[in-house]
Amino acid sequence: MPRFTIIVPVHKVQGYLHACLDSVLGQSYRDLEVIAVDDRSPDGCGEILDGYAARDERVRVLHLPENVGLGRARNAGMPHATGDYLFFLDSDDTLTPGALRALADRLDETGDPDVLVFDYARTHWWGGTRRNALAHVLAEAGEGTFTAAERPGILDLLMVVWNKVYRRDFVDREGFTFPPGYYEDTPWTFPVLLSAERIATLDRICLYYRQRRQGNILSTTSRKHFDVHEQYARVFRFVDARPALAHWRPFLHTKMGEHCLDILSKPDRLPPTDRGEFFRRTSEMFRAHRPEGVRVPAELRVLEGGYAGYVLRRQAGRAGRELERRARQARAATAARAARARSVLRRPLDPRLAVYSAFSHRGVLGDPAAVYRAARELAPHIRGVWVLADEETAAGLPPDTEYVLLDSPGYRRATERATYFVNNVNWSGALVKRPGSVHIHTHQGTPLKCMGADLLDKPGARLGFDVPQMLRRADRWDYSLVANRHSELVWERAYPCHFTSLRSGSPRNDVLAGAGPDSGREVRARLGVPDGHTVVLYAPTRRDYRRDGLVERIDLARFAADLGEGHTLMVRLHPSLADGPARGLGLAELHRRGVLIDATDEPEVQDVLLAADVLVTDYSALMFDYALLDRPIVIHADDWDAYRASRGVYIDITAGAPGHVARSYRELAWLFESGTWRDEEAARLRSAFRDRYGEFDDGRAAERVVRALMLGEPMPEHTARGGRVPAQAGNRDLLTPS
């Protein structure tokens, strides 16, 4: 008996069906059966299904004699199920890699609950991917099982059938089936969750929910949306037949009102001529099922009146929002004019004031933080003020850290008077550079991929970048910090502006340049690395050939297992991926289970680098920083040609790598299994790479910046690691015009 029965109803989806079935049958977890129900599809779906069944014995196909609709097609598949758990997968959706293994592990961990709720991400037809906004509900549900009464927040999740798996004997015992109609998920999910005695959650994206441009009932203008009323009537009949569930009536009454008003508010759901009728039917149902003695929420009281009142309220709301939008624009324009006027007044600059920001005001981080700390020691008379995005960001700072919030009065006062501006991201366009001020741009590492003006002929890579605006902001730079002559060449070409390159080294890397063999011990202990373990840090970067930047190159669970005993896998995502779906695609779950350590949220990346014994990366600029530690580096370049073509690069990193290069996962696993990752050739490659790109990094970069640019002293000499401009891309300098 298989662990999962995956029931796939199929109708007019031949363009998506291969992707759906491949995502199931290609799972590493193979204890499953697929029951595909051909709902009398008029296209080639039936033939496609028969082809899969002929090739894979786990697939069975039911050809229905007539079209019965999504819910009843699922019903047709259920009697044929033999698996422990039912999984209803829509035929245009796909499973994420490793999803079934994660589900199976969670079911084992929670002792086979009645229902397991998991996370999903929407994938839009235009290429965007967005994680479920209520994913935190899954994470907050805890390790064990619960009932809906114990954690009612579970009912705030999208009430659909496909983000859950159901224990088959529980479904059989309760007699759950799908009704006919278009909102058939509603009278399934509410009864199931209210009846379940043991619910568990999995905070992992297991499914991609395809948002099709056309063909989805929920985005189709039709009277079919009137079906929602009958489906909620079924829910109320279910509750009425079970006195123990009577206390849920107020909750369901509110949900019904919210759901119907949401449908009514969407401009693409109902024909304009039917909107009044839909409102009246909703209002009648709302009154008919209103529990006695229960106060109606303010936002639903509109259902106690007429349709004309609802329309007036909607119009007033839209007008109010438009007025507020215009007011915000006017306030912003007024503030900008006032800022320019104050600048014109030429209030004297304060030579004892420096303003800092890092990573778009995300905290005391990176190169600016290193300069700030050095200035506090070497130039204590210069007051340092940080610009932060919000109070939440400021909450974790030491109490003696002075800060202002972006666009606040304090921010305007500080930026009008400051002499020194230190940032690793361009300041906003509204900030006026005053004569006599000193703008120090630190950048964010040694460039491998194309930047600035070099993106002008890379239309895919510059999506979302306004290059001319970027250059106008860079016109304010006075000094550009560089760690090597490669960076100096790149920045002067990529940002054709009037700045001076300062061969200072990278301030944030002072801690790496001066690290000893025991550096990182405290970080390892804090992160929970067992004593004596070899820490393998995997740090992938984003991809420009995907709109969301996320491309899963490695099965992390497999990699952790292949590393074997005595190894700890640590993962650090690129900052642009940290808040997107990437964390939910198994990383957070593997961290929770102790399979690996997710170090993405560690504020200082240098701490993570110090904790690692070896770095595995694709094309992340972290390799240039990590090389200073003289520890092994492995490049995983299985999509190098695609990356290079889409983004553009300055260096052929496969030809001048800091260590061995793996072109496939098999090669990567072999490098570690054989011990080749740390052989003499790896050490030779690393040494040459370190000399080339750590040229000015000697542990005194921050001091150099403070003494030379803030105190006006001669810049301290540095010990250069090498004296030549590096050959690039196989002995051809990519910075030289062809």
Side-chain angles (χ1 to χ4, degrees):
M1 182 166 60
R3 191 60 161 153
F4 296 105
T5 294
I6 301 176
I7 297 176
V8 185
V10 178
H11 184 74
K12 295 178 67 174
V13 289
Q14 63 180 9
Y16 308 105
L17 189 53
H18 286 284
C20 174
L21 295 175
D22 289 346
S23 77
V24 175
L25 300 174
Q27 293 278 310
S28 60
Y29 187 87
R30 300 184 58 80
D31 190 14
L32 61 95
E33 64 178 3
V34 175
I35 299 177
V37 183
D38 174 14
D39 190 16
R40 195 65 176 176
S41 186
D43 55 9
C45 286
E47 294 179 6
I48 294 172
L49 294 177
D50 289 340
Y52 274 90
R55 294 191 299 272
D56 196 316
E57 62 182 8
R58 295 173 297 170
V59 180
R60 284 185 287 165
V61 181
L62 302 179
H63 295 283
L64 301 185
E66 61 180 354
N67 176 247
V68 297
L70 185 59
R72 286 186 288 183
R74 292 169 179 158
N75 291 341
M78 280 197 280
H80 301 272
T82 63
D84 298 330
Y85 279 85
L86 301 176
F87 190 147
F88 299 100
L89 177 64
D90 287 354
S91 49
D92 54 353
D93 295 339
T94 55
L95 299 186
T96 62
L100 292 183
R101 166 56 65 187
L103 289 168
D105 289 345
R106 183 63 173 146
L107 291 172
D108 292 343
E109 186 178 53
T110 53
D112 284 5
D114 297 328
V115 182
L116 174 61
V117 187
F118 55 82
D119 200 14
Y120 65 92
R122 297 174 187 265
T123 58
H124 297 271
W125 62 269
W126 41 264
T129 301
R130 181 166 58 88
R131 189 179 186 182
N132 167 27
L134 294 178
H136 62 88
V137 173
L138 301 174
E140 294 164 359
E143 297 293 317
T145 61
F146 55 90
T147 64
E150 292 168 336
R151 290 192 175 274
I154 199 69
L155 299 174
D156 290 329
L157 297 173
L158 191 63
M159 284 290 103
V160 290
V161 65
W162 43 256
N163 64 349
K164 308 168 185 73
V165 294
Y166 313 86
R167 190 159 50 82
R168 184 166 58 88
D169 59 7
F170 162 68
V171 172
D172 291 344
R173 185 185 72 234
E174 298 292 336
F176 293 125
T177 59
F178 291 91
Y182 296 94
Y183 283 84
E184 78 292 333
D185 284 9
T186 298
W188 170 280
T189 50
F190 277 120
V192 164
L193 290 177
L194 298 182
S195 302
E197 296 177 355
R198 300 177 67 247
I199 302 171
T201 61
L202 174 62
D203 179 24
R204 184 197 193 277
I205 297 172
C206 295
L207 180 141
Y208 284 131
Y209 172 38
R210 189 186 300 275
Q211 300 283 273
R212 293 160 62 183
R213 184 169 178 266
Q214 295 179 342
N216 187 337
I217 174 60
L218 295 183
S219 60
T220 302
T221 303
S222 167
R223 283 185 61 87
K224 292 176 180 179
H225 295 283
F226 279 79
D227 176 65
V228 71
H229 299 123
E230 175 55 28
Q231 303 299 4
Y232 271 101
R234 288 189 168 99
V235 174
F236 284 116
R237 289 196 292 271
F238 179 86
V239 171
D240 290 342
R242 292 160 177 77
L245 300 179
H247 64 283
W248 285 107
R249 285 187 61 84
F251 174 86
L252 294 171
H253 181 253
T254 297
K255 281 291 183 184
M256 182 270 292
E258 292 173 345
H259 194 172
C260 292
L261 285 178
D262 181 66
I263 294 171
L264 192 59
S265 71
K266 298 293 194 300
D268 60 346
R269 299 290 172 88
L270 294 161
T273 55
D274 295 324
R275 296 172 65 82
E277 180 186 351
F278 185 90
F279 178 88
R280 287 189 291 274
R281 288 198 189 180
T282 299
S283 182
E284 292 170 2
M285 190 172 182
F286 191 74
R287 288 193 296 270
H289 291 283
R290 178 177 176 179
E292 294 184 8
V294 174
R295 188 170 179 271
V296 175
E299 63 273 15
L300 298 182
R301 291 176 194 163
V302 66
L303 290 171
E304 296 179 330
Y307 180 61
Y310 165 80
V311 172
L312 288 173
R313 181 173 175 177
R314 291 274 299 170
Q315 291 174 343
R318 284 195 294 268
R321 288 190 294 273
E322 177 62 19
L323 287 173
E324 176 58 28
R325 185 186 67 81
R326 293 182 181 182
R328 286 197 304 269
Q329 288 180 334
R331 288 194 296 269
T334 301
R337 284 194 297 270
R340 286 193 293 270
R342 285 191 293 269
S343 179
V344 170
L345 291 175
R346 297 193 180 280
R347 297 174 61 191
L349 295 179
D350 184 350
R352 296 171 175 261
L353 178 59
V355 175
Y356 297 85
S357 179
F359 300 105
S360 299
H361 323 299
R362 288 199 291 112
V364 181
L365 302 167
D367 291 298
V371 175
Y372 167 76
R373 287 189 286 267
R376 294 189 69 171
E377 178 183 348
L378 301 174
H381 63 284
I382 297 180
R383 172 178 154 229
V385 177
W386 280 88
V387 178
L388 301 179
D390 48 47
E391 288 289 1
E392 183 180 356
T393 304
L397 299 183
D400 61 341
T401 305
E402 188 175 354
Y403 69 91
V404 294
L405 298 183
L406 182 66
D407 293 332
S408 67
Y411 165 80
R412 288 189 285 273
R413 286 192 296 270
T415 55
E416 287 165 9
R417 299 293 309 280
T419 294
Y420 306 102
F421 291 79
V422 185
N423 203 341
N424 63 2
V425 176
N426 268 322
W427 296 97
S428 74
L431 191 149
V432 178
K433 174 175 169 56
R434 295 188 57 187
S437 63
V438 178
H439 282 242
I440 304 167
H441 194 76
T442 71
H443 303 284
Q444 296 180 35
T446 294
L448 168 62
K449 61 187 178 184
C450 288
M451 306 288 286
D454 290 332
L455 292 176
L456 287 173
D457 62 349
K458 305 289 189 299
R462 73 169 188 268
L463 180 67
F465 288 101
D466 184 337
V467 175
Q469 182 187 70
M470 189 187 306
L471 298 182
R472 286 192 296 271
R473 294 179 178 183
D475 283 333
R476 293 172 297 196
W477 301 354
D478 292 294
Y479 294 96
S480 166
L481 306 189
V482 298
N484 46 65
R485 276 178 275 190
H486 160 75
S487 297
E488 188 173 355
L489 291 173
V490 168
W491 299 138
E492 291 186 7
R493 165 176 160 163
Y495 296 97
C497 308
H498 295 291
F499 57 78
T500 298
S501 294
L502 190 75
R503 295 180 174 182
S504 58
S506 297
R508 72 185 185 284
N509 284 341
D510 288 347
V511 65
L512 302 182
D518 291 331
S519 297
R521 187 181 299 276
E522 293 182 5
V523 181
R524 292 163 68 103
R526 175 164 54 79
L527 294 175
V529 177
D531 289 341
H533 268 219
T534 297
V535 176
V536 179
L537 172 61
Y538 176 53
T541 193
R542 63 175 288 115
R543 301 302 198 273
D544 290 285
Y545 59 79
R546 279 285 298 270
R547 182 179 290 267
D548 58 8
L550 173 63
V551 178
E552 294 179 284
R553 309 308 309 177
I554 291 178
D555 182 334
L556 296 176
R558 178 183 177 185
F559 189 33
D562 288 345
L563 288 173
E565 292 294 329
H567 293 77
T568 292
L569 177 62
M570 187 182 298
V571 179
R572 173 86 174 190
L573 294 179
H574 188 276
S576 67
L577 302 176
D579 296 325
R583 304 287 282 282
L585 286 166
L587 181 56
E589 175 66 8
L590 294 172
H591 175 83
R592 184 189 66 79
R593 289 169 43 205
V595 175
L596 51 74
I597 294 174
D598 178 8
T600 304
D601 287 336
E602 282 295 306
E604 290 287 358
V605 68
Q606 274 63 35
D607 286 346
V608 179
L609 298 181
L610 286 169
D613 296 300
V614 52
L615 171 67
V616 177
T617 187
D618 34 43
Y619 324 115
S620 170
L622 287 180
M623 70 177 79
F624 298 99
D625 303 340
Y626 192 76
L628 298 174
L629 292 172
D630 196 23
R631 300 176 189 174
I633 301 173
V634 175
I635 301 298
H636 183 53
D638 66 335
D639 66 339
W640 170 245
D641 291 338
Y643 182 86
R644 178 174 56 182
S646 61
R647 177 68 195 219
V649 296
Y650 298 115
I651 304 165
D652 184 350
I653 201 61
T654 63
H660 291 293
V661 177
R663 295 285 190 168
S664 66
Y665 178 77
R666 177 175 293 183
E667 290 182 13
L668 177 66
W670 177 84
L671 286 173
F672 280 93
E673 181 183 3
S674 64
T676 306
W677 62 276
R678 55 183 173 185
D679 64 8
E680 292 183 3
E681 176 64 7
R684 185 190 67 78
L685 293 169
R686 183 170 70 252
S687 177
F689 190 86
R690 188 173 69 255
D691 288 344
R692 201 175 299 142
Y693 299 110
E695 189 176 359
F696 306 134
D697 278 317
D698 59 358
R700 300 181 65 192
E703 175 193 354
R704 206 167 276 125
V705 173
V706 173
R707 291 194 184 279
L709 303 185
M710 294 182 173
L711 296 178
E713 300 176 1
M715 192 169 80
E717 295 290 333
H718 54 73
T719 303
R721 293 183 182 274
R724 61 186 181 86
V725 178
Q728 301 170 67
N731 297 320
R732 177 176 176 267
D733 186 350
L734 296 187
L735 300 181
T736 302
S738 58

